[in-house]
């Protein structure tokens, strides 16, 4: 029995989104919840909200040093593969456009996980079209057709609009879980978000 | 049987430190761990690291709005009293000096909790000497003597040194748990920190 659906707002360049993306399907299945996949770009939000052109983890090195250690520990805790990427943050525009197209497709979740693994377990360049084509093919998509659509003006506009919507929702980092209008920030809030979904379903709200 | 001791680095003006301070004794008792209380000031670290003179939650309103809602939810989750303070962040210098003196005293933990309740459940001014005197007396301390010592040059220096040490440890927010050289940031990491303490004890590291 399903307790409903919730939105997973993620950014492919985000380390904590990686942890969330690898855990979310098992957690959602256990809660009987359906995931609505919402890729977006953090860069424009960081610029708009904080006036910075880089990750806050680079702008504030003391935060960055902690985050890298925290990520190692989280990956050990959840038994996730981890290799610190040699480039951070990586340009995530292309895979985000593709993920937008895959949000309702059977290949979508596999593709999302494959991109995160490429970035954070294999240290590969996720902005590379050949890599994205390879991951799409492995996920069972018509890679050439999807890539062509990803570069269309319509898809580019959709990603800009989805990023703008993230800002309107009060998003300032990643990942986030949006459960019936309630925003939960950080992969640490996944269980609280799913509990809220269950509680809301039970009370009919 | 004790699994050892760990340091709890907290700031009285910090909302998430409130949640941690109210939960930590039960969690430590369950883990058989001893708490070493480490009050410090975030203000000088924010200025040094980020060049700001205010809480990041005020400097970045989108983060602030989320934090206040998150705090409401956390307090509901842990059944903690909560009233949004009318002043944020409150000046925490005086209670921090006092807590430094109380770190090894029987009245210390009660005093810490009382200050947090005053700030985040009762909306009282924790920089007020009469309030601090009242809370000290209730906690069983010789209030007048402690207050006099809190204002001594030696105590003022100790708090500056403890804050500088926080910076050297890589601290950039609050609360934190320091477990055998390993820093855990955020009240969300309390269980991970205690688990690390247990694991370290078991393996003799």
């Amino acid at each position: 029995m399903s307790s409903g659906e919730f939105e997973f707002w993620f950014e492919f360049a985000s380390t904590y989104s990686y942890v969330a993306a690898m855990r979310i399907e098992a957690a959602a299945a256990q809660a009987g919840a359906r995931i609505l996949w919402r890729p977006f770009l953090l860069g424009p939000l960081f610029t708009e909200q904080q006036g910075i052109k880089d990750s806050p983890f680079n702008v504030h090195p003391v935060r960055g040093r902690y985050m890298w250690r925290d990520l190692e520990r989280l990956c050990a805790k959840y038994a996730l593969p981890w290799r610190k990427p040699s480039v951070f943050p990586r340009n995530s525009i292309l895979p985000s456009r593709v993920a937008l197209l895959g949000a309702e497709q059977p290949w979508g979740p596999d593709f999302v996980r494959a991109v995160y693994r490429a970035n954070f377990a294999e240290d590969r360049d996720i902005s590379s079209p050949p890599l994205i084509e390879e991951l799409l093919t492995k996920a069972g998509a018509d890679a050439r057709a999807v890539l062509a659509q990803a570069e269309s003006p319509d898809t580019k506009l959709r990603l800009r609009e989805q990023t703008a919507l993230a800002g309107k929702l009060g998003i300032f980092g990643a990942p986030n879980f949006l459960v019936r209008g309630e925003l939960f920030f950080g992969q640490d809030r996944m269980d609280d978000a799913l509990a809220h979904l269950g509680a809301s379903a039970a009370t009919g709200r």
Side-chain angles (χ1 to χ4, degrees), chain A:
Chain A
M1 202 178 65
S2 172
S3 62
E5 55 190 28
F6 70 103
E7 299 180 17
F8 175 46
W9 287 79
F10 59 97
E11 150 70 88
F12 281 120
S14 150
T15 51
Y16 289 105
S17 293
Y18 164 57
V19 179
M22 302 304 272
R23 297 180 55 214
I24 197 166
E25 284 169 287
Q30 194 165 14
R34 182 165 167 258
I35 304 164
L36 303 176
W37 303 81
R38 298 284 187 262
F40 74 106
L41 299 179
L42 268 176
L45 299 186
F46 287 153
T47 301
E48 185 184 317
Q49 296 167 359
Q50 302 183 41
I52 59 178
K53 296 276 187 186
D54 196 351
S55 164
F57 294 123
N58 290 339
V59 173
H60 305 295
V62 63
R63 299 188 71 101
R65 277 190 293 276
Y66 176 79
M67 180 276 285
W68 292 116
R69 177 65 189 131
D70 197 38
L71 250 287
E72 276 186 329
R73 288 192 309 231
L74 285 176
C75 289
K77 176 178 176 177
Y78 296 117
L80 299 175
W82 169 251
R83 190 193 304 176
K84 186 180 169 180
S86 53
V87 176
F88 176 83
R90 280 208 164 95
N91 183 323
S92 55
I93 295 176
L94 177 60
S96 300
R97 287 175 182 156
V98 170
L100 202 55
L101 299 173
E104 305 280 333
Q105 301 299 322
W107 52 265
D110 278 358
F111 174 76
V112 168
R113 262 183 279 103
V115 173
Y116 276 115
R117 265 198 308 271
N119 196 2
F120 296 113
E122 298 158 6
D123 192 23
R124 298 175 79 185
D125 176 9
I126 60 170
S127 72
S128 151
L131 172 64
I132 297 303
E133 185 177 334
E134 174 194 325
L135 301 182
L136 275 170
T137 303
K138 280 189 190 158
D142 181 346
R144 292 290 175 90
V146 171
L147 271 173
Q149 200 188 340
E151 297 292 12
S152 73
D154 180 63
T155 306
K156 292 178 178 179
L157 177 64
R158 277 184 60 200
L159 183 59
R160 280 198 298 276
E161 288 176 342
Q162 183 135 302
T163 295
L165 178 57
K168 288 196 190 86
L169 290 169
I171 284 175
F172 53 88
N176 301 272
F177 313 95
L178 186 68
V179 182
R180 301 178 194 202
E182 193 82 16
L183 186 69
F184 293 83
F185 164 64
Q187 78 90 24
D188 297 308
R189 289 286 177 279
M190 189 187 292
D191 293 339
D192 284 353
L194 288 169
H196 181 72
L197 184 63
S200 297
T203 57
R205 279 187 300 161

